[in-house]
Amino acid sequence: MSLASIQSDFALLDDWEDRYRYVIELGRELGPLPEALKSEPTRVRGCSAQVWVYPTGGGAKLHFLADSNAAITKGIVALVIAAVQDRPA
C-alpha cells in the first residue's frame, strides 16, 4: 500500500480510536516475519517493543520485511516501510 493511499484513508477517519485501529490493521498487512529472521542483527535497538527489520532484494530498490511483538508498533513500522518500500536505493 502506498503512503498516499494510507494518508487518504487516514483522513477519512474522524475518531482517534478508528485511526488507532487502522494503524493496527496496517501492521497486520505486513504479515509475519519468519522466525529465523528474528535475530539480534535484525532487531531495532531502542524500541520498548521488539521490532525486527530485514532488507531483501537487490541493491537497486529498497525492500523490507518487518515484524513486531506489539500491534501498534507493527502498524507504525508498516507506515515507515510504506514511505520507502520499493523506492530507488
Side-chain angles (χ1 to χ4, degrees), residues 71-82:
I72 192 68
T73 302
K74 189 171 180 177
I76 293 167
V77 169
L79 286 170
V80 172
I81 287 177

Side-chain angles (χ1 to χ4, degrees), residues 1-12 22 79 82-83 87:
M1 184 175 283
S2 74
L3 194 55
S5 174
I6 293 169
Q7 186 177 18
S8 293
D9 291 346
F10 202 79
L12 296 173
Y22 182 69
L79 286 170
R87 297 196 44 128

Side-chain angles (χ1 to χ4, degrees), residues 34-54:
E35 288 298 318
L37 297 179
K38 293 180 182 178
S39 62
E40 193 58 28
T42 63
R43 186 175 66 85
V44 177
R45 289 161 190 77
C47 292
S48 58
Q50 293 292 307
V51 176
W52 302 272
V53 178
Y54 183 78

